[in-house]
Amino acid sequence: MGNRKFKIYRGDNTKGELVDYNCDITEGMVVLDAMHRIQADDANDMACRWNCKAGKCGSCSVEINGRPKLACMTRMNEYSPDETIMITPLKAFPIIKDTVTDVSWNYKQNKKIKPFSPVQNKKNTEKGLVMQQVDVERTQHFRKCIECYLCQNVCHVIRDQGAQDKFVGPRFMIRLASLEMHPMDDADRIPAIKEDHGSGMCNITRCCTEVCPEDIQITDDGIIPLKERVVDRYFDPVMILFRKIFKK
Amino acid sequence: MLDISGIRQIEFDVLVIGAGGAGLCAAITATKESKKVGLICKSLLGKAHTVMAEGGMAASLGNVDKRDHWKIHFRDTMRGGKMLNVWRMAELHARHAADRVRELEQWGAVFDRTKEGLINQRNFGGHRYPRLAHVGDRTGLEMIRTLQDYGIHKDIDIHMECTALDILKDESGKVAGVVCMYRETGEFIIFKTKSLILATGGGGKAWEITSNSWEYTGDGYAMAYEAGAELMDLEFNQFHPTGMVWPPSVRGILVTEGVRGEGGILRNSEGKRFMFDYIPEKFKNETADTEEEAARWLAGDKDARRPPELLTRDVVARAINAEVKAGRGSKHGGAYLDIATRRSAEDIKKKLPSMYHQFKVLAELDITKESMEVGPTCHYFMGGIRVEADTTMSTVEGLFACGECAAGMHGANRLGGNSLSDLLVFGNLAGTGASNYAKQLGAVPKFNEEDAKKIIRNATSILNREEGGNPYLLHEDLQKNMQNNVGIIRTDSELQEGIQNIENLKEKNKNVKANGSSQFNPGWHEALAMRNLLITSEAVARAAHLRTESRGAHTRDDFRDESEEWYQYNIISKKGEDGNMQVIKERRKDPNPELERIANATLEDLEAEVAEERKS
Ligand SMILES: Cc1cc2nc3c(=O)[nH]c(=O)nc-3n(C[C@H](O)[C@H](O)[C@H](O)COP(=O)(O)OP(=O)(O)OC[C@H]3O[C@@H](n4cnc5c(N)ncnc54)[C@H](O)[C@@H]3O)c2cc1C
Ligand code: SF4
Ligand code: SF4
Ligand code: FES
């Protein structure tokens, strides 16, 4: 498969440049393999993150030719043999070094979310929670998230508008959705979803869904239903009346 | 002159190194009894090895087959471990696993369900009943995310991308702290602590073909060893029978045993389902001997015996190895694993979604239509830091260990699914053990400053050296050596050669050089890990050389049978007075007679006993 050309960002948040590298490619190699070969032979101190090499841990997120991707699940043969492959860090987060970015903001968002609070009723038994498979499927779908933050990286609210303090981003919207749709969860997060987590900031561009390596239907199955729940609670006159009467 | 007072210091009651399932569980438990709890990890939170686990966690919940009971789980575990497990550890695990799994559900884990709406359980090798609680084939992700999301709301001081270098002790030999380095900045920090829990996982990165990530460099073993602790059973390295073999760049990546649990079968190049030829004497009574019976079992017939593909991992790995050696291997030197003709495409995508995805992207192969090619890959360390079963304390005062880095629970061979439940059970015990120890201690012991200086100087000298060897290439040399000389099938002469090569690599490692600055420098991190890999590899190779029998995952071509004599012994590795590694046989403690009786009972007798117990 021959020798291929790469341009990789080397530097930090203040200064850096695209550096040229070459690497011999063999059958089946993914972009992360090429990065490792370059690191071992020509650039010992080149920073990159990875763990599983199989799309399970969400560590190796970078932009490849401008597209946010997992380096370990991007095969070299997706690109034509004469194409130079450009690898740059995620744009939405501060660069630490080379392709490694500071994603600590995401961990702070998670901490703001009220955790799972199991209902204490007769379905919470000695043998565990009693829930049917069909009722947990939606929650399980969201829990496939590997926290690669590719969706956070492309969401324009975070990336371009810099509204980091107003919106938790798509990753945590689906974490919220997974909790809200958990059949045995007792907490009410709707007020927080509206006020603190900023559900109103999302204008359903679906860019997040497009890049999700786990094919999670972030927007249609997660964010939109949450927005509907917020609307039901705050703006639906029938619901408001209903709650007044029944003091819910 | 290096001045220790210029280095940042933080004080803890309990500090946990490692944020996989074991470390998170230990830290969460420690917050119940201790005020100041810390947790550090080399990667970001949620990325530890645990995230990669696929198949499930074993516990005798009895949700799918009511006949299950801790005693039968215990018996399976002991037999899988070829009776070398620490009896008490296997007992604690089997007794407590079910409670821990249900606790995880209360903390937010959403397992697949049975028809009754309870946690579903799947079949796995060596387990008598469907026993593995699971979520498709991403159980580890479910586990680590649950612990992470629960743990961040407890009072735990978490330091991510922070590498522990070595343990500090006080004058009397008690644990007093640990020197660490932030990967991002290269800054050193000293964590002072009353008790220290190691939950650093394994060391599979010493081999070339491995399912393990860069983190698995045996740091916990090496740090414990340097601190004077005893390591045990390191010759038992599990080679998982089904790693990917093609294309070369993904060689070693795991294919979950869940594929076989869901009905997948192994064939050779002649199309023969060869596992029927490899059923060990001990398991003959419990294994199907015809395809017809295996098919009935898959269809749910409770009287049919299990198919031979679900024998324990050591047996299946050796069988694949033998088929390849006999010239009946698959195209790229493995065996064919077929699920396509066994289950519908829809079932496969539902039960094994990440396998489907992994093969589609990485091997351009549709597992609902074609067979996978698989072969053995280095996967798991049964051996590790020797601990006391109930408290998990090592032979060094104040030093605890749990999870994959601790020894004893799995004996000579681990059953699939028994690791994730091990993390919960012993993570929990470690959190309690370390808290209790910290409480009775009073003040934090005072660490030896000269030791701290030495650790830091050793680390920085790798950067400051004018010139020296490339750490990546040194690592590649070690991997080749372990693969060729300390692999699945071992012999005296190869092991001797392996040990000699390790000695040479140790010399070379003294002059290894990292280029660049101390900021997020993987070359430096690689060089720092080399010492740990070399200590781990040496302990493995020397123990493997000493154990002149084949048992479980340790196979000697020159000593093909289990020996009654060796059943009596563990192998202990320890740093000697002269600084060299001492590797000795040590007589095992006599088992508790009741546990011995259960482990040796026939299945029929034990099932009857359990049924009787339930009636009364
Ligand atoms: C692909 C794969 C699939 C598997 N599937 C299953 C399965 O289905 N069922 C099952 O039971 N088991 C399975 N296993 C085994 C099981 O996942 C592991 O044994 C288990 O997760 C180990 O957990 P742990 O908590 O001991 O360590 P890990 O999860 O590996 O965590 C180790 C932690 O220690 C940290 N660490 C290490 N060294 C240092 C240091 N020097 N300084 C600071 N931090 C450090 C790491 O950063 C990490 O946070 C699988 C393993 C693999 C690789
Ligand atoms: S759909 Fe919403 S969350 Fe997703 S990228 Fe667009 S604005 Fe962001
Ligand atoms: S939702 Fe998808 S894209 Fe976003 S972090 Fe999770 S896995 Fe990544
Ligand atoms: S390395 Fe784990 S997702 Fe790429």
Side-chain angles (χ1 to χ4, degrees):
Chain A
M1 292 192 60
N3 192 274
R4 302 282 300 264
K5 289 200 183 74
F6 290 82
K7 278 185 186 299
I8 305 180
Y9 181 85
R10 300 297 311 271
D12 56 25
N13 222 15
T14 51
K15 62 175 195 310
E17 58 181 345
L18 288 167
V19 177
D20 292 319
Y21 295 101
N22 287 296
C23 179
D24 285 329
I25 302 298
T26 56
E27 185 171 349
M29 263 169 98
V30 293
V31 171
L32 183 67
D33 294 321
M35 291 167 76
H36 280 157
R37 205 58 254 167
I38 291 167
Q39 191 184 47
D41 294 336
D42 304 320
N44 280 191
D45 64 340
M46 183 173 86
C48 72
R49 281 199 185 107
W50 70 284
N51 279 291
C52 68
K53 228 168 111 27
K56 296 189 169 73
C57 72
S59 302
C60 62
S61 307
V62 289
E63 298 199 358
I64 303 172
N65 289 354
R67 300 186 69 97
K69 289 192 161 245
L70 298 179
C72 74
M73 294 299 269
T74 308
R75 282 176 65 115
M76 286 300 300
N77 66 7
E78 287 177 31
Y79 302 92
S80 63
D82 52 357
E83 196 175 349
T84 300
I85 292 174
M86 183 172 72
I87 307 166
T88 50
L90 297 183
K91 274 214 187 74
F93 306 112
I95 300 170
I96 290 176
K97 189 178 157 207
D98 306 335
T99 58
V100 172
T101 55
D102 177 359
V103 293
S104 56
W105 173 78
N106 293 286
Y107 287 89
K108 292 190 189 114
Q109 304 316 300
N110 196 17
K111 225 174 161 166
K112 293 200 283 197
I113 293 173
K114 195 186 282 177
F116 176 63
S117 325
V119 179
Q120 302 304 331
N121 64 14
K122 66 178 195 309
K123 286 190 171 173
N124 191 343
T125 71
E126 242 177 37
K127 301 188 98 181
L129 304 178
V130 180
M131 314 184 276
Q132 293 306 314
Q133 184 63 37
V134 286
D135 299 324
V136 299
E137 229 129 65
R138 192 49 77 79
T139 290
Q140 286 187 327
H141 174 66
F142 298 135
R143 291 180 69 85
K144 287 196 309 190
C145 171
I146 56 172
E147 299 206 323
C148 65
Y149 307 129
L150 291 178
C151 57
Q152 304 287 77
N153 178 54
V154 295
C155 176
H156 66 105
V157 180
I158 297 163
R159 185 166 172 146
D160 305 326
Q161 298 171 20
Q164 265 97 339
D165 53 338
K166 298 195 191 71
F167 183 43
V168 290
R171 163 23 186 163
F172 297 104
M173 288 302 283
I174 60 149
R175 159 117 178 97
L176 285 159
S178 79
L179 289 162
E180 285 296 295
M181 295 176 198
H182 192 303
M184 291 292 285
D185 177 77
D186 205 21
D188 177 14
R189 299 177 190 79
I190 297 296
I193 288 171
K194 177 171 179 283
E195 303 299 336
D196 312 330
H197 307 320
S199 59
M201 298 294 288
C202 162
N203 53 358
I204 323 184
T205 57
R206 295 196 174 80
C207 311
C208 50
T209 308
E210 253 167 53
V211 296
C212 176
E214 287 292 306
D215 289 326
I216 299 173
Q217 294 304 308
I218 304 174
T219 335
D220 289 7
D221 291 356
I223 299 180
I224 294 176
L226 284 187
K227 279 173 170 283
E228 284 167 359
R229 289 182 188 204
V230 168
V231 170
D232 282 351
R233 175 76 59 90
Y234 287 96
F235 307 109
D236 183 340
V238 182
M239 286 302 287
I240 290 170
L241 193 66
F242 177 84
R243 262 193 301 274
K244 271 204 181 127
I245 295 167
F246 294 99
K247 292 221 163 40
K248 270 200 85 165
Chain B
M1 239 344 258
L2 184 63
D3 183 8
I4 289 294
S5 62
I7 291 175
R8 190 147 76 97
Q9 304 188 4
I10 305 183
E11 209 174 278
F12 293 109
D13 295 325
V14 177
L15 176 66
V16 184
I17 305 182
L24 277 163
C25 206
I28 290 169
T29 310
T31 58
K32 288 185 196 159
E33 301 282 339
S34 301
K35 278 213 184 66
K36 287 181 277 180
V37 178
L39 177 65
I40 70 168
C41 52
K42 285 206 281 193
S43 288
L44 294 169
L45 195 57
K47 312 293 184 194
H49 240 75
T50 299
V51 79
M52 295 172 222
E54 294 159 359
M57 54 188 97
S60 58
L61 297 161
N63 289 352
V64 172
D65 195 319
K66 290 195 174 49
R67 291 175 296 176
D68 206 359
H69 189 275
W70 77 262
K71 287 184 184 173
I72 299 175
H73 190 180
F74 169 77
R75 177 184 182 272
D76 289 346
T77 301
M78 291 301 300
R79 287 166 61 90
K82 313 297 165 220
M83 301 289 176
L84 209 69
N85 322 49
V86 171
W87 297 84
R88 175 68 177 155
M89 288 178 89
E91 180 197 5
L92 284 167
H93 169 257
R95 274 184 190 271
H96 295 304
D99 281 344
R100 293 280 85 81
V101 171
R102 283 188 287 254
E103 180 175 63
L104 201 64
E105 185 174 64
Q106 294 289 328
W107 293 353
V110 186
F111 294 101
D112 287 352
R113 319 307 296 177
T114 63
K115 283 200 188 68
E116 294 75 37
L118 295 172
I119 296 171
N120 199 359
Q121 297 180 274
R122 71 157 47 113
N123 281 300
F124 240 56
H127 292 284
R128 166 70 182 159
Y129 305 115
R131 190 176 278 149
L132 269 69
H134 62 275
V135 186
D137 54 4
R138 57 160 190 85
T139 314
L141 170 65
E142 188 65 23
M143 174 172 188
I144 202 160
R145 198 67 79 235
T146 302
L147 292 170
Q148 173 188 346
D149 290 341
Y150 185 78
I152 55 173
H153 297 282
K154 301 281 150 198
D155 200 1
I156 304 170
D157 184 11
I158 301 172
H159 297 252
M160 302 196 288
E161 299 198 317
C162 179
T163 302
L165 299 176
D166 257 319
I167 295 165
L168 296 168
K169 298 197 291 185
D170 74 354
E171 304 289 282
S172 73
K174 282 199 215 53
V175 159
V178 58
V179 180
C180 300
M181 181 264 291
Y182 289 108
R183 283 160 34 85
E184 178 179 339
T185 56
E187 181 203 350
F188 294 98
I189 178 162
I190 294 175
F191 295 110
K192 300 194 282 185
T193 187
K194 292 179 190 166
S195 52
L196 184 66
I197 302 176
L198 292 172
T200 47
K205 228 16 198 181
W207 282 263
E208 200 174 4
I209 300 173
T210 175
S211 67
N212 291 178
S213 85
W214 71 271
E215 291 202 310
Y216 267 28
T217 47
D219 298 6
Y221 309 136
M223 286 190 282
Y225 170 85
E226 287 293 333
E230 291 178 0
L231 307 179
M232 186 172 93
D233 292 345
L234 278 195
E235 67 276 29
F236 298 109
N237 316 103
Q238 181 165 77
F239 290 83
H240 193 292
T242 61
M244 291 176 81
V245 299
W246 190 258
S249 56
V250 298
R251 191 157 193 156
I253 291 181
L254 196 75
V255 180
T256 175
E257 188 167 323
V259 175
R260 281 169 288 140
E262 296 296 338
I265 58 169
L266 290 161
R267 291 186 207 277
N268 62 20
S269 60
E270 294 162 4
K272 183 172 178 206
R273 190 169 168 187
F274 57 83
M275 277 312 298
F276 286 105
D277 301 342
Y278 293 91
I279 306 171
E281 204 46 53
K282 260 194 188 158
F283 288 89
K284 281 227 154 86
N285 288 334
E286 297 167 22
T287 312
D289 48 14
T290 61
E291 294 209 22
E292 179 271 331
E293 185 177 358
R296 271 195 288 126
W297 178 87
L298 187 63
D301 179 348
K302 290 202 168 151
D303 294 327
R305 293 170 300 176
R306 318 164 52 76
E309 278 83 7
L310 289 177
L311 284 161
T312 54
R313 289 177 176 176
D314 50 332
V315 176
V316 182
R318 271 195 302 272
I320 295 177
N321 205 60
E323 286 295 309
V324 175
K325 275 218 169 131
R328 295 187 293 269
S330 68
K331 199 166 153 205
H332 301 104
Y336 293 106
L337 174 61
D338 169 26
I339 185 83
T341 66
R342 317 274 302 162
R343 301 289 293 255
S344 72
E346 194 189 333
D347 276 359
I348 296 170
K349 285 186 202 167
K350 196 156 193 164
K351 289 284 183 187
L352 304 161
S354 82
M355 284 303 108
Y356 173 73
H357 188 63
Q358 181 175 314
F359 273 89
K360 210 168 137 196
V361 176
L362 296 177
E364 293 177 337
L365 186 134
D366 182 347
I367 67 167
T368 67
K369 298 206 174 78
E370 287 174 80
S371 293
M372 298 161 248
E373 270 188 80
V374 294
T377 179
C378 178
H379 185 58
Y380 185 87
F381 270 55
M382 270 70 71
I385 300 160
R386 183 186 208 177
V387 294
E388 202 272 317
D390 291 76
T391 62
T392 80
M393 183 141 97
S394 73
T395 50
V396 169
E397 250 187 281
L399 182 64
F400 298 75
C402 59
E404 187 170 341
C405 74
M409 159 64 209
H410 306 286
N413 174 60
R414 172 176 74 90
L415 295 185
N418 266 2
S419 170
L420 292 188
S421 40
D422 162 3
L423 309 183
L424 294 173
V425 171
F426 289 98
N428 181 285
L429 289 171
T432 308
S435 289
N436 289 342
Y437 172 84
K439 263 191 284 184
Q440 54 83 38
L441 199 62
V444 179
K446 217 169 125 24
F447 68 85
N448 181 317
E449 293 205 354
E450 284 312 309
D451 290 347
K453 284 185 193 167
K454 203 167 137 208
I455 295 164
I456 292 171
R457 253 190 254 117
N458 283 344
T460 46
S461 65
I462 299 172
L463 284 168
N464 296 337
R465 217 160 264 149
E466 287 297 317
E467 54 187 67
N470 175 333
Y472 294 95
L473 303 184
L474 198 66
H475 188 176
E476 285 175 18
D477 286 346
L478 175 66
Q479 289 179 306
K480 286 202 189 87
N481 177 52
M482 295 303 279
Q483 195 71 35
N484 296 334
N485 295 318
V486 197
I488 311 181
I489 313 285
R490 301 162 172 180
T491 64
D492 185 274
S493 60
E494 283 175 356
L495 288 167
Q496 285 198 37
E497 192 181 329
I499 293 168
Q500 190 49 50
N501 289 341
I502 292 168
E503 289 300 333
N504 299 343
L505 289 168
K506 270 161 65 180
E507 278 309 308
K508 280 194 188 164
N509 191 46
K510 288 186 180 150
N511 291 310
V512 67
K513 155 90 186 144
N515 295 305
S517 74
S518 64
Q519 268 176 321
F520 216 117
N521 183 343
W524 186 33
H525 305 157
E526 177 90 339
L528 288 169
M530 276 313 295
R531 180 208 65 173
N532 303 333
L533 277 165
L534 285 163
I535 291 175
T536 306
S537 302
E538 182 179 349
V540 170
R542 289 192 187 278
H545 185 244
L546 187 58
R547 186 174 281 276
T548 46
E549 67 159 349
S550 293
R551 182 181 294 273
H554 171 65
T555 309
R556 287 282 300 251
D557 209 26
D558 40 1
F559 298 91
R560 294 196 175 178
D561 298 314
E562 272 180 29
S563 97
E564 281 295 318
E565 160 77 7
W566 268 110
Y567 164 71
Q568 319 274 345
Y569 292 96
N570 288 115
I571 294 179
I572 306 290
S573 319
K574 186 178 169 187
K575 189 168 182 168
E577 297 282 328
D578 58 359
N580 290 326
M581 188 177 286
Q582 282 181 349
V583 181
I584 50 158
K585 354 182 351 186
E586 192 181 294
R587 215 183 165 83
R588 297 173 67 194
K589 277 200 211 117
D590 286 336
N592 165 322
E594 173 62 4
L595 293 178
E596 192 175 25
R597 182 192 66 78
I598 298 172
N600 288 313
T602 66
L603 196 53
E604 294 74 41
D605 287 352
L606 201 58
E607 282 179 342
E609 173 183 323
V610 165
E612 199 53 43
E613 234 174 73
R614 288 216 166 99
K615 267 188 224 150
S616 58

